[in-house]
Amino acid sequence: MTSLLQRRTVAVLAALATGLALSGAAVADSGHREEKPVRASVVGSAEFVLPYYKDNDIRSFTFDAHGAPYSRPLPTIPTGLPTDAQGTITISHYSAERNITYTSKGSVDCLVTGPRTATLTAVITEVSPGGPPTVGHRVGLSVYDGGRDEARSADRVGFSWNGVNLLPDGDTHPEEAPVGTCMAPAPYAPVTRGGYTVTHAELPPTPGSEDVADRMSGRVMPLSSRAAPGGE
């Protein structure tokens, strides 16, 4: 009788142990499945003012930009770049003097982030009638996410036009400089209404063992071979 009870007890304990092990494995597996790679993003819409020029105009940016690393192959960099991105931007500018609103839309091609900060670029694809002739131009924008927008937003934006990105040359009128991917000034303009959310993600490593820089033109040394500023 005692022996039978002992055998049954051992069997129950074994079954419990097996069940707990399977449950733990399922939890671990479930936890593994829930781990998704973080992708950088900037989303939101807000109005802002120029700190260096006061007027009654209303300016706003709307962002729906998401990192898509290594998704835009280049002739000498077939993998694309870690800063590759996709999404859209919408630029709106109400001119009080002309009583008209101009809008532009662009396709995002680059995004890089830091904690609460981001720079992105987009190529303009559409401009409303009467707007500037910028279709095909790349523009640069930056965002500072000041946190939760309560009584007053602490967010800020920056952008690569309105005299911020010029090429002064002697006595001639300065020309606006071309904008490279992910190039934008610091977010200098305070948001007055609305806000943005920046999701930061580290730039992922290059696919494969080769360095992206090794596939660039001969004018660029591999990153691992470059000396630090002031070094030998």
Side-chain angles (χ1 to χ4, degrees), residues 70 79 205-215 222-224:
Y70 306 107
T79 61
T206 309
S209 59
E210 293 182 325
D211 196 325
V212 167
D214 291 335
R215 291 185 291 275
L223 294 175
S224 58

Side-chain angles (χ1 to χ4, degrees), residues 187-210:
Y188 55 84
V191 164
T192 56
R193 183 179 180 183
Y196 302 105
T197 299
V198 173
T199 299
H200 169 55
E202 301 294 344
L203 297 178
T206 309
S209 59
E210 293 182 325

Side-chain angles (χ1 to χ4, degrees), residues 6-17:
Q6 289 176 340
R7 288 199 299 272
R8 288 180 176 176
T9 301
V10 170
V12 170
L13 291 175
L16 285 173

Side-chain angles (χ1 to χ4, degrees), residues 12-193:
V12 170
L13 291 175
L16 285 173
T18 302
L20 288 174
L22 291 173
S23 175
V27 170
D29 183 60
S30 175
H32 179 73
R33 287 198 303 270
E34 291 176 358
E35 291 179 2
K36 297 180 180 179
V38 176
R39 289 287 182 260
S41 66
V42 182
V43 296
S45 183
E47 297 176 4
F48 59 92
V49 294
L50 301 178
Y52 55 86
Y53 186 75
K54 305 298 181 183
D55 57 22
N56 294 319
D57 291 7
I58 301 174
R59 301 169 173 86
S60 71
F61 294 150
T62 299
F63 299 131
D64 185 17
H66 303 267
Y70 306 107
S71 63
R72 295 175 175 270
L74 296 171
T76 57
I77 314 176
T79 61
L81 298 172
T83 54
D84 288 344
Q86 61 187 12
T88 59
I89 66 166
T90 301
I91 302 166
S92 177
H93 180 187
Y94 167 72
S95 170
E97 180 182 356
R98 298 179 178 84
N99 191 29
I100 189 172
T101 298
Y102 303 106
T103 59
S104 301
K105 296 182 179 180
S107 177
V108 174
D109 63 359
C110 190
L111 171 66
V112 63
T113 63
R116 292 195 173 189
T117 62
T119 61
L120 61 150
T121 48
V123 177
I124 299 299
T125 57
E126 182 181 337
V127 178
S128 65
T134 54
V135 171
H137 292 199
R138 179 179 288 107
V139 295
L141 307 107
S142 61
V143 176
Y144 169 71
D145 179 357
R148 296 183 62 182
D149 302 318
E150 296 177 352
R152 179 180 176 83
S153 176
D155 296 357
R156 303 175 73 89
V157 294
F159 49 99
S160 63
W161 60 95
N162 271 26
V164 175
N165 183 39
L166 298 178
L167 290 173
D169 186 15
D171 296 330
T172 62
H173 184 75
E175 296 181 5
E176 188 168 294
V179 174
T181 56
C182 276
M183 293 293 99
Y188 55 84
V191 164
T192 56
R193 183 179 180 183

